[in-house]
Amino acid sequence: MPTKIEKDAISGTDTTGHEWDGLKELNTPLPRWWLYTFYATIVFAAVWVVLYPAIPIRGLTGVLGYTAREAGTAELAEARTRAEPMMARLRAATPAQIAADPDLRAYAIAGGRVAFANNCAACHGAGGQGATGGYPTLADDDWLWGGTLDAIRTTITHGIRSPDDEEARTSVMPRFLGDGMLTRPQIHDVAQHVLGLSGLATDQAAAQRGAAVFAENCVSCHGDQGEGNAELGAARLNDRIWLNGPDTRAIEAFIANPRLGVMPAFGQRLDAATINMLAVYVHSLGGGR
């Protein structure tokens, strides 16, 4: 229960009337500067909710009519206006011309890095390292459809097996098991032969049997020595670079029922300048030819 309010003998401050185990609570007022600051924040908040979007005045924009969306749109338009001269140059040039011009190349690498992060990194990785499961590495020298600047630009523009672009790069590998073209033992043998092209075969007898199967079914696309064919999008098989991993099961599964990936046609999503920047950036990752 509160006791009577009295003045503390030591500090000279009134007590609140509360006491616990002989300890009395002092009624020490807050500093005036703190109170004035607190009152000022209340006034500031009241003015703020009227001026900016908080109270439904003029829709939901406040007295000033400000919205972050409109402000961002205006800033974006301003940035595009500033960048347009350089973007026009990038739009008019070929990737080879951009790569040969130091100023254009520097701008393209910087812009391409951003465009890559926004459009490509989800599948190919932040550094173009790719991922097992059908996402090619872009930082090595192994290319399904060619690693020149023009080839990379074409791939970005039209995509791979994109249903939205008639000019999309398209290659078809038979379902050798699903379509009854090979038996499972034959698939095992040809997988060992494919591994043997890179010196990785673990069953030499199977690899020798698989050579004949390979010659009858695979050479027309992948070449006698597994050198591949970029014009057909046929993978190179003798370089120890694998789209789905170098283990026997993965290779057998792909031969039996291949999973053919799809890449969007970015020519319908991005402008020519951005596509050129992407081509130059991807080419610069280390594997461009």
Side-chain angles (χ1 to χ4, degrees):
M1 295 289 294
T3 60
K4 66 177 182 178
I5 298 175
E6 57 186 23
K7 189 175 292 293
D8 180 62
I10 297 176
S11 65
T13 303
D14 289 341
T15 66
T16 63
H18 295 93
E19 181 177 348
W20 296 271
D21 297 329
L23 298 176
K24 298 178 179 179
E25 181 183 30
L26 299 180
N27 187 15
T28 305
L30 292 168
R32 290 182 180 276
W33 68 265
W34 193 96
L35 285 172
Y36 293 152
T37 302
F38 177 65
Y39 297 148
T41 60
I42 295 175
V43 174
F44 177 84
V47 173
W48 184 274
V49 298
V50 173
L51 294 179
Y52 290 94
I55 294 179
I57 303 172
R58 292 183 55 184
L60 290 175
T61 61
V63 172
L64 297 181
Y66 172 88
T67 64
R69 180 184 295 274
E70 291 181 359
T73 301
E75 291 176 3
L76 181 60
E78 182 182 353
R80 286 175 174 169
T81 300
R82 291 197 305 267
E84 181 53 31
M86 182 62 79
M87 294 295 283
R89 292 178 61 191
L90 290 167
R91 202 174 291 119
T94 65
Q97 290 171 334
I98 294 171
D101 185 307
D103 291 337
L104 286 177
R105 175 180 169 80
Y107 195 96
I109 294 294
R113 182 180 293 109
V114 175
F116 187 90
N118 291 337
N119 297 279
C120 315
C123 292
H124 293 287
Q129 71 272 20
T132 300
Y135 306 105
T137 299
L138 304 179
D140 60 20
D141 60 355
D142 193 46
W143 297 86
L144 285 174
W145 296 96
T148 65
L149 283 163
D150 288 339
I152 294 171
R153 188 187 191 284
T154 298
T155 300
I156 295 171
T157 302
H158 299 294
I160 308 293
R161 303 181 189 91
S162 174
D164 302 325
D165 194 311
E166 295 181 355
E167 298 183 48
R169 296 192 185 279
T170 303
S171 64
V172 178
M173 178 171 169
R175 299 165 61 247
F176 284 101
L177 182 64
D179 294 337
M181 300 174 67
L182 298 176
T183 64
R184 193 167 291 280
Q186 287 176 311
I187 289 175
H188 171 74
D189 292 346
V190 78
Q192 286 297 312
H193 175 70
V194 169
L195 286 169
L197 294 174
S198 299
L200 299 174
T202 57
D203 186 338
Q204 295 301 324
Q208 290 178 2
R209 294 193 301 269
V213 180
F214 186 88
E216 293 176 2
N217 297 274
C218 313
V219 165
S220 58
C221 291
H222 293 285
D224 293 335
Q225 303 301 317
E227 64 272 18
N229 188 336
E231 293 184 1
L232 300 176
R236 184 178 177 184
L237 304 177
N238 60 4
D239 56 5
R240 299 195 179 193
I241 298 174
W242 303 88
L243 190 61
N244 294 286
D247 61 281
T248 303
R249 288 186 178 181
I251 295 173
E252 289 181 359
F254 198 85
I255 296 171
N257 293 289
R259 295 175 296 173
L260 303 177
V262 175
M263 174 178 161
F266 285 99
Q268 302 177 17
R269 306 183 183 194
L270 306 174
D271 70 358
T274 303
I275 290 176
N276 281 340
M277 289 193 293
L278 273 172
V280 174
Y281 174 73
V282 170
H283 189 269
S284 74
L285 290 177
R289 294 178 178 175

